[in-house]
Amino acid sequence: MRKRLLMAESAQAPLPAVNFLYFDEVGNGYLKGARCIDCGAVAPGDRLVCNACGARARMESVRLSERGTLYSYTIVHRSFPGVRTPFIAVIVDLDGGGALKGTLLGVKEDPREIRYGMPVKVVYRDTGQTSPEGRPFRSYYFVPSGMSPDE
Amino acid sequence: MSDIYVVGIDMIPFGRYPTRALASLGAEAALLALDDAGLGIRDMQALYCGNLMEAHLMVGQRILREIGQTGIGVVNTANACATGATAFREGLIAIKAGLYDLVLAVGVEQMGKGLLGGAKRTDGFVEEGVLGSGTMPAMFSQIGLEHAKKYGTTFTQFAKVAVKNHHHSTMNPKAMSRRETPLEEVMAAEMIAYPNTKLMCSINVDGAAAAVIASESAARRLGLMDRAVRVRASELTSGPYTPHEFAIPDFNLVTQNCARAAYESAGMSASDLDLVELHDCFATAELVHYENLGLCPDGEAGRLIDSGETALGGRIPVNSSGGLLSKGHPLGATGIANLYEVATQLRGAAGARQVSGAKIGLTHVCGGSPDRGSACVIHILEKA
């Protein structure tokens, strides 16, 4: 019964927007990364060789932190045709290593509302986009760390 | 080792040539550079061609079909915004290696209008707006705000770069846009990605530039030393690792490393320079590169633009050509066009925008793309 349900769901199962985003058995997202045992550098996804120090076969699989701080940003007013603007494009330093680019939600698109170093957290949302087979693309986004997940 | 010289160099006016073929633009620049040297295609022993958008389509060979298929070796290069400068440098290296005495380097590009790049992935997913932004203005705005975070650089200071470069372009007949843009107009222009407004973004144009590069013995043998420009340094770097590697390409360290190598190989420092043509793809980029190139100490770029020292007439004029902001930025041509500006200044032939007494100048190009990496080329030229 449980197995059949999962199979029925799989046709509509979400697709990750990036190759280092995974979903666990109950559909919760998590971000996979690789950490170098030698130099400590953290990169998204799986890696064979460390791009920071060149060490080979020294990468251990980790989950990227879902907490971080805002390193830099811009407010995008003009983008490619069909992309809704404005939005806040951020670079986030993840606690425990690694950095990601992403979109910051839950903050007004105004430089006065955005603080360098502000704590943020990762949330997983549907992107509103679907694959040709009709499967929804899901992605990670950033929100201010105080915000409740449903806002 | 003997020096390498630029003995002929020129560019076509940057603009929009929708009815012209790409190769014909490159051919026109090549012929102008050959004329400048008083040489012909039969004197050239190899061609180095920089083009980005048609990198796999034998652009160098197509140019030779326009100006003479002599059968010489052709190397086609692609290296982001450093494409043209990389082609030039490859030609220079071949002469340094003793393979040739005289080579031609051409940079050429035909661009569409609007934002570079596309939004859609092969699986149909549009990353833009979900995974932040991959547009060039957004990337360089993030770099500008990184500087603002560290040093308190203001929107007004970034905007002043555009005022200065647009002013310079009014004296350059080969620039695309030749009109004054007062500070209020720059700041009130359409915001593209904060803090870069439309007038703080380089213009997508078509263009071509070319150079004839010679060994010292060839330059002397052909009697070309009187207008020759000596290449004192030619350096190339790629973006080194930074912890932000997967979030944004590095444009600072890649330039700092390249500048350090160039000053070292020329036996000079930034204080020896009389002028600089640097990669102002966006106004924010010019300010961070002031520091990356050592034109001022770290954290002083905002003060440097405020002081007027980088304007024509100032201590170290930057982008006397009008820069990419007003001259335009045809990706593959830009690197050689920057060399043209500095060579023209060193020859004392820059007309109304002449930097008086210019003896040493630096050219810098630096580019990259999100999720890929970055490239930087720096040349230091000296009046021979």
Side-chain angles (χ1 to χ4, degrees):
Chain A
M1 173 72 185
R2 170 81 185 144
K3 195 170 181 183
R4 204 176 311 150
L5 189 64
L6 279 174
M7 281 173 65
E9 278 171 352
S10 69
Q12 290 307 308
L15 285 167
V18 290
N19 63 9
F20 55 92
L21 168 59
Y22 291 80
F23 304 106
D24 67 16
E25 288 153 15
V26 290
N28 289 327
Y30 65 95
L31 300 174
K32 214 171 152 186
R35 184 184 163 280
C36 177
I37 295 163
D38 285 0
C39 79
V42 176
D46 295 316
R47 295 191 64 86
L48 289 173
V49 178
C50 175
N51 62 320
C53 74
R56 295 169 65 167
R58 302 288 289 163
M59 303 303 290
E60 59 177 357
S61 189
V62 294
R63 279 198 185 194
L64 296 177
S65 171
E66 294 181 342
R67 304 232 162 227
T69 52
L70 187 144
Y71 177 76
S72 190
Y73 76 97
T74 181
I75 303 165
V76 177
H77 292 270
R78 174 97 78 91
S79 187
F80 301 123
V83 174
R84 204 175 62 200
T85 56
F87 63 90
I88 306 171
V90 294
I91 295 167
V92 171
D93 286 329
L94 299 175
D95 296 352
L100 294 177
K101 72 183 176 88
T103 298
L104 178 66
L105 305 176
V107 177
K108 200 160 163 255
E109 294 89 357
D110 180 338
R112 287 166 299 192
E113 303 288 324
I114 304 165
R115 260 186 321 108
Y116 301 112
M118 65 188 274
V120 296
K121 66 182 180 188
V122 171
V123 294
Y124 302 97
R125 302 264 169 93
D126 279 333
T127 61
Q129 299 181 47
T130 50
S131 73
E133 305 79 43
R135 293 171 65 183
F137 278 108
R138 243 174 123 69
S139 183
Y140 69 88
Y141 291 86
F142 295 103
V143 296
S145 64
M147 209 169 101
S148 90
D150 303 320
E151 271 181 80
Chain B
M1 188 176 280
S2 62
D3 289 316
I4 310 288
Y5 293 84
V6 176
V7 294
I9 191 159
D10 212 335
M11 62 183 271
I12 66 168
F14 284 179
R16 300 218 164 87
Y17 300 96
T19 61
R20 294 274 301 272
L22 176 73
S24 91
L25 300 178
E28 184 182 344
L31 292 175
L32 286 169
L34 287 167
D35 288 348
D36 184 49
L39 297 171
I41 189 62
R42 297 200 165 277
D43 299 309
M44 298 298 108
Q45 296 167 303
L47 168 62
Y48 295 83
C49 180
N51 171 271
L52 200 56
M53 307 294 211
E54 297 188 18
H56 61 305
L57 295 174
M58 312 199 86
V59 178
Q61 282 85 344
R62 283 152 60 192
I63 289 171
L64 284 184
R65 204 162 62 175
E66 301 291 317
I67 64 172
Q69 286 174 255
T70 57
I72 54 174
V74 173
V75 177
N76 291 295
T77 70
N79 204 10
C81 297
T83 290
T86 300
F88 178 91
R89 185 171 184 273
E90 287 301 310
L92 180 144
I93 287 170
I95 295 178
K96 247 188 170 18
L99 294 177
Y100 310 120
D101 279 319
L102 280 167
V103 304
L104 181 61
V106 181
V108 58
E109 203 75 54
Q110 236 168 353
M111 314 267 298
K113 285 173 93 166
L115 285 165
L116 291 185
K120 240 181 197 173
R121 251 172 21 193
T122 50
D123 64 359
F125 182 68
V126 177
E127 295 186 350
E128 184 71 11
V130 177
L131 306 174
S133 180
T135 71
M136 296 290 157
M139 232 174 22
F140 283 93
S141 291
Q142 288 171 332
I143 286 155
L145 290 188
E146 178 188 24
H147 195 271
K149 172 179 82 167
K150 279 192 198 156
Y151 304 117
T153 327
T154 64
F155 176 32
T156 308
Q157 288 172 323
F158 290 125
K160 282 180 180 175
V161 170
V163 176
K164 169 182 73 74
N165 291 356
H166 289 140
H167 169 64
H168 289 172
S169 75
T170 62
M171 293 169 267
N172 182 359
K174 293 190 176 187
M176 165 78 179
S177 162
R178 300 186 297 277
R179 108 187 147 76
E180 300 284 355
T181 56
L183 184 62
E184 307 71 51
E185 185 187 345
V186 171
M187 295 178 73
E190 180 191 352
M191 185 58 74
I192 303 296
Y194 179 81
N196 282 313
T197 68
K198 191 170 185 182
L199 289 171
M200 297 160 74
C201 300
S202 55
I203 317 168
N204 289 337
V205 300
D206 308 329
V212 177
I213 315 168
S215 66
E216 181 156 352
S217 63
R220 290 194 187 284
R221 173 166 44 87
L222 295 165
L224 297 171
M225 286 302 284
D226 57 330
R227 296 184 73 241
V229 173
R230 184 182 293 121
V231 183
R232 286 290 302 267
S234 174
E235 294 294 336
L236 166 70
T237 51
S238 66
Y241 173 82
T242 80
H244 295 118
E245 177 58 35
F246 294 95
I248 190 165
D250 165 69
F251 296 100
N252 293 317
L253 265 180
V254 73
T255 294
Q256 291 160 21
N257 289 348
C258 202
R260 193 178 309 118
Y263 291 135
E264 191 182 314
S265 91
M268 295 182 180
S269 69
S271 61
D272 294 310
L273 304 174
D274 298 307
L275 77 152
V276 170
E277 284 287 299
L278 64 72
H279 203 77
D280 60 325
C281 47
F282 297 90
T284 46
E286 175 159 325
L287 278 203
V288 302
H289 290 317
Y290 285 171
E291 293 168 22
N292 294 330
L293 295 172
L295 307 185
C296 65
D298 286 353
E300 300 281 319
R303 237 165 293 175
L304 188 60
I305 188 72
D306 284 340
S307 73
E309 289 183 5
T310 56
L312 274 169
R315 174 177 65 86
I316 175 74
V318 172
N319 291 328
S320 58
S321 67
L324 283 45
L325 290 184
S326 23
K327 186 170 56 180
H329 184 20
L331 306 176
T334 289
I336 298 181
N338 283 0
L339 289 161
Y340 165 75
E341 175 66 15
V342 170
T344 303
Q345 290 280 0
L346 299 181
R347 287 166 159 186
R353 65 184 192 283
Q354 181 64 45
V355 176
S356 65
K359 289 193 172 53
I360 295 169
L362 178 146
T363 64
H364 159 260
V365 283
C366 176
S369 55
D371 286 336
R372 297 195 185 101
S374 61
C376 180
V377 175
I378 290 176
H379 285 99
I380 297 178
L381 302 182
E382 180 181 36
K383 192 174 178 166

